[in-house]
Amino acid sequence: MTQKRILVTGGAGYIGAHTAVELVQAGYEPVIVDDLSKSDPTLLNGIEKITGQKPNFQKGDCTHYEFLSSVFKTQGPFSGVMHFAAYKSVGESVQKPLEYFRNNIDSLIAVLEVMKEFGVRDFIFSSSCTVYGQPDQIPVNESAPFKRAESPYGATKQMCERILEDAHTTGFRIISLRYFNPIGAHPSANLGELPIGIPNNLGPYITQTAAGKREKLTVFGDDYATPDGSCIRDFIHVVDLALAHVKALEYLEKQSGTNTYQVFNLGTGIGISVLELITAFEKVTGVKLPYGIGPRRAGDIEKVYADPTKVNTILHWKTKFTIEEALLHAWAWEKKLPAKG
Ligand code: UD1
């Protein structure tokens, strides 16, 4: 039986690369497209180490229709598309709003247009819990209304979801996956997060500090209305997140109709504070983490965690890894990286 080919845009990035691995394990053939503007090609080697197969990688920019069209022509036919390619730094999006809108919106539209041209209809979109803003009710479920986005990055995710909601009626079967906070690395330590420059996100900041690459970690605020004063998030192991994409694809393949649009939260349902995560890291790794308390970071949400009932029930997906495993895997990955970033 020939394998089904799946286009994975942004497949050289943290979540895309882990998903490419799970696609291979599930019997699919991922074709990765990435312009490497925000990712490190090292992750492509990691995919090969885990799967034993050199990934089919096509370098290019997803906002370019002609480039995408040539990939569909030469590397297809594709039975589905997973669209990870996007800019994702909240802080940078405030500095460069137009770049964020241009890149994140244009690439989505270009990918959908090319899919239409080539008659491909199954599409998985990387959305984010950022679409909720600070929700009125926690845990937050998928029917919570969108609050005004805190950043241009968040606004692009809200707009992309709106585009998908409207466009799906023209012959697409679409799932938007709203990620909470992905952390961890592949248990083999061959794949993990590899931010370019100073990390924005907590996970790599913790491991890089523990490895001595950063002097100390700053906790952004301990005066929030939470039990220990630090922000609360729903940290989810990146491999669990990757596996959910495979489940989402299988779900779309089973649909009999030509139009579908569904959104799912991808989280554990457990809220963990920044300080709790630091303590858990120290406990499982035995490494003391130098940290101090700093001011709040602009645009941060006080607390958010998922109600994952919908994804548990409809996609039959549940998280397998614990937070401790996620931290251990991230640490194992960090230790394998060169000493200087
Ligand atoms: C945000 C978005 C998320 C998006 C991600 C992309 C929300 C609620 N979440 O995640 O959807 O996918 O950006 O980058 O909008 N922190 C520190 N010190 C640090 C780094 C982080 O204390 O050095 C704290 C932050 O203040 C925050 C928590 O750790 O409370 C998590 O931060 P981060 O990893 O940047 O993710 P979010 O901002 O939650």
Side-chain angles (χ1 to χ4, degrees), residues 5-32:
R5 243 176 245 177
I6 306 295
L7 182 71
V8 181
T9 75
Y14 175 48
I15 304 171
H18 282 87
T19 304
V21 167
E22 296 310 323
L23 281 170
V24 173
Q25 318 280 27
Y28 292 93
E29 195 185 325
V31 173
I32 293 174

Side-chain angles (χ1 to χ4, degrees), residues 68-337:
L68 285 174
S69 181
S70 78
V71 171
F72 273 67
K73 225 174 269 156
T74 59
Q75 310 300 319
F78 297 118
S79 65
V81 175
M82 293 190 179
H83 184 49
F84 297 93
Y87 294 165
K88 62 149 200 174
S89 166
V90 174
E92 188 183 55
S93 78
V94 177
Q95 306 302 323
K96 301 175 179 173
L98 294 181
E99 286 182 28
Y100 269 67
F101 287 113
R102 166 74 76 191
N103 184 68
N104 291 3
I105 309 291
D106 266 13
S107 62
L108 175 69
I109 294 174
V111 171
L112 291 174
E113 284 177 343
V114 179
M115 285 176 68
K116 212 165 212 343
E117 188 193 325
F118 285 82
V120 182
R121 59 188 182 184
D122 290 353
F123 184 77
I124 315 277
F125 178 66
S126 297
S127 190
S128 165
C129 69
T130 199
V131 297
Y132 297 120
Q134 175 63 66
D136 293 329
Q137 280 194 336
I138 308 170
V140 61
N141 69 34
E142 290 82 353
S143 55
F146 287 3
K147 296 281 187 64
R148 188 183 155 79
E150 295 279 340
S151 67
Y153 159 76
T156 68
K157 292 296 175 190
Q158 291 183 341
M159 288 174 186
C160 285
E161 283 205 16
R162 173 62 201 261
I163 290 167
L164 294 172
E165 202 181 319
D166 289 344
H168 87 273
T169 54
T170 63
F172 291 107
R173 307 192 304 185
I174 297 174
I175 287 181
S176 285
L177 297 173
R178 294 178 179 162
Y179 310 154
F180 282 68
N181 287 65
I183 58 163
H186 195 270
S188 66
N190 286 316
L191 207 52
E193 198 162 2
L194 203 51
I196 294 176
I198 301 172
N200 296 302
N201 296 112
L202 184 59
Y205 214 104
I206 287 179
T207 56
Q208 290 194 8
T209 306
K213 290 178 185 167
R214 311 272 155 220
E215 203 182 321
K216 77 171 195 187
L217 171 74
T218 302
V219 174
F220 298 138
D222 69 347
D223 56 350
Y224 285 99
T226 59
D228 64 22
S230 64
C231 290
I232 291 177
R233 294 288 182 275
D234 185 334
F235 297 98
I236 168 171
H237 196 298
V238 66
V239 172
D240 277 328
L241 200 73
L243 285 164
H245 289 74
V246 178
K247 291 273 191 188
L249 184 64
E250 289 168 353
Y251 173 87
L252 286 182
E253 287 170 346
K254 280 194 218 113
Q255 300 305 303
S256 50
T258 49
N259 304 329
T260 313
Y261 183 59
Q262 294 260 16
V263 296
F264 294 101
N265 280 343
L266 285 190
T268 64
I270 302 165
I272 292 181
S273 76
V274 173
L275 287 168
E276 283 172 336
L277 194 75
I278 293 171
T279 307
F281 179 85
E282 292 184 327
K283 196 167 164 210
V284 293
T285 62
V287 179
K288 193 95 196 94
L289 207 58
Y291 73 90
I293 309 295
R296 292 182 176 196
R297 182 172 71 176
D300 265 343
I301 304 292
E302 182 170 271
K303 56 178 173 216
V304 65
Y305 51 92
D307 174 350
T309 310
K310 189 177 173 197
V311 66
N312 294 165
T313 317
I314 298 181
L315 295 190
H316 306 291
W317 169 90
K318 269 197 167 63
T319 49
K320 287 186 193 155
F321 293 102
T322 62
I323 194 83
E324 287 78 15
E325 286 168 320
L327 292 166
L328 272 177
H329 295 156
W331 182 228
W333 160 250
E334 180 69 55
K335 283 191 291 183
K336 274 182 77 173
L337 294 173

